[in-house]
Amino acid sequence: MDNLYTALNSIKVLRCSVGQVFSCLANGLRADHGEENKDTKFLSEVDELLSSVTHHLRDVEQAVGNLVQPTGPFTLGNTSFLSQECTLERQALYSQLVLSYKWTDKIHEYSQQAAALLSQNSLKRSYTNSGSAKRRRTQTSSHNVPPQAVDTLISTIDRSYSDMNVTISRPFATNAVLQVTLGRVLQAVIAFKGLMIEWVVVKGYGETLDLWTESRHKVFRKITENSQAAMLHFYSPPLPELAVKSFMTWFHSYITLFSDTCKKCGNHLHCALPPTWRDLRTLEPFHEECKL
């Protein structure tokens, strides 16, 4: 295989050198040849490129000469007898089987590489562990939570903040959808699956609330992006109630969106936007450019 790769690489280099010759001939006399003896300089450049082609051609001949011819045909066990089939419709079966085998073998190799890369990802949102040899008791998932437990938790959060109004609806079977109004600053739609927050859309006060369209204001589109990042940050399968409370506490900090200044630069506005990021631990406001 090393000799084969060497031969292919030599052919590639030869093709590049031949392409340079044709490119030079197509461009003809150029300004960098100067005004004096430009014909001589052009012929010298072409001669040098042709010498390079000759050198690379010798490399190709040497690399091809080092190749060893296979001792026999590529066989797939008893399927080799298909090549002896006298019927015209079946004579091509063997070559098609060989191509299929090579294709599936390559797919198997790529799948192993993909599995090795995906196994390094630790961002899992479930309890499934395919690598475990022992059968373990399935832990309680935050997806399967009674609606009463969700209502109780949301009611507790609603009573904790006097300037935040939370309304629960269930347009999609048992999964809750919250309509959150934060003073006269903003409003949001938060979709749940059990006690897991699945989606957040933030809009301005007075805009139509839904899960499918963005706000027409850039400031609230940016807060939507940050809210979805915080949703993933606070997600905790062992403690789903704490995850929801932590997210709602973080989201409530936007009550001072248009009054707080950035903790880094001390300005209200930067690039015509207020501080749209809230630190996930301290809840301090920052501009997008200042949080780094």
Side-chain angles (χ1 to χ4, degrees):
M1 293 302 294
D2 294 338
N3 294 335
L4 179 60
Y5 290 146
T6 303
L8 293 175
N9 187 54
S10 300
I11 294 174
K12 185 186 300 183
V13 174
L14 176 62
R15 293 183 62 182
C16 291
S17 60
V18 172
Q20 291 176 359
V21 173
F22 284 106
S23 177
C24 179
L25 294 175
N27 293 330
L29 297 175
R30 302 188 303 274
D32 55 354
H33 290 142
E35 295 296 334
E36 297 180 358
N37 300 326
K38 55 183 179 181
D39 295 339
T40 305
K41 294 180 180 178
F42 175 71
L43 293 176
S44 176
E45 181 180 359
V46 174
D47 184 64
E48 182 179 354
L49 292 175
L50 290 175
S51 300
S52 177
V53 170
T54 304
H55 174 70
H56 293 149
L57 181 60
R58 286 197 296 266
D59 292 342
V60 171
E61 292 176 349
Q62 181 180 359
V64 172
N66 294 330
L67 293 178
V68 179
Q69 186 176 1
T71 56
F74 188 86
T75 60
L76 294 176
N78 294 331
T79 57
S80 59
F81 294 109
L82 290 173
S83 60
Q84 304 175 8
E85 179 65 48
C86 59
T87 307
L88 294 177
E89 291 80 2
R90 300 181 180 178
Q91 285 181 354
L93 285 178
Y94 179 72
S95 59
Q96 294 176 0
L97 285 174
V98 172
L99 293 176
S100 300
Y101 177 81
K102 292 180 179 179
W103 182 80
T104 52
D105 188 60
K106 186 175 293 185
I107 290 296
H108 187 265
E109 179 184 355
Y110 290 165
S111 300
Q112 289 180 337
Q113 296 178 0
L117 294 175
L118 292 175
S119 62
Q120 300 174 3
N121 183 13
S122 60
L123 298 177
K124 298 180 180 179
R125 302 189 72 183
S126 66
Y127 292 103
T128 304
N129 186 6
S130 58
S132 178
K134 298 181 180 179
R135 297 183 60 183
R136 299 179 180 179
R137 182 177 60 87
T138 303
Q139 303 183 29
T140 304
S141 174
S142 58
H143 302 173
N144 302 320
V145 178
Q148 296 78 7
V150 179
D151 293 346
T152 302
L153 176 62
I154 299 304
S155 300
T156 302
I157 295 174
D158 188 22
R159 290 193 299 267
S160 301
Y161 304 101
S162 59
D163 50 2
M164 183 171 67
N165 183 29
V166 181
T167 304
I168 305 177
S169 60
R170 286 187 168 82
F172 310 111
T174 58
N175 293 326
V177 176
L178 305 187
Q179 295 185 6
V180 182
T181 303
L182 202 58
R184 290 184 173 271
V185 178
L186 55 83
Q187 54 184 351
V189 180
I190 305 176
F192 281 78
K193 185 175 183 180
L195 279 177
M196 185 187 75
I197 301 176
E198 282 198 316
W199 195 247
V200 182
V201 176
V202 180
K203 293 188 176 183
Y205 188 81
E207 288 189 275
T208 304
L209 276 180
D210 60 81
L211 286 169
W212 323 117
T213 59
E214 295 180 334
S215 173
R216 65 176 183 270
H217 304 292
K218 183 178 180 180
V219 58
F220 298 114
R221 293 197 299 269
K222 183 60 66 175
I223 295 177
T224 298
E225 296 177 5
N226 295 335
S227 298
Q228 292 169 2
M231 167 190 75
L232 297 174
H233 173 79
F234 289 114
Y235 177 72
S236 175
L239 302 171
E241 295 185 359
L242 178 61
V244 175
K245 290 181 180 179
S246 301
F247 174 81
M248 296 303 292
T249 301
W250 176 88
F251 186 77
H252 177 263
S253 63
Y254 280 103
I255 191 67
T256 58
L257 173 64
F258 298 109
S259 59
D260 276 351
T261 59
C262 177
K263 289 296 182 181
K264 185 174 183 180
C265 66
N267 297 326
H268 284 281
L269 298 179
H270 183 77
C271 298
L273 290 177
T276 55
W277 172 255
R278 295 297 185 271
D279 188 89
L280 297 171
R281 296 181 60 186
T282 63
L283 307 182
E284 293 180 339
F286 292 92
H287 295 116
E288 292 295 326
E289 296 77 11
C290 298
K291 68 179 181 180
L292 301 178

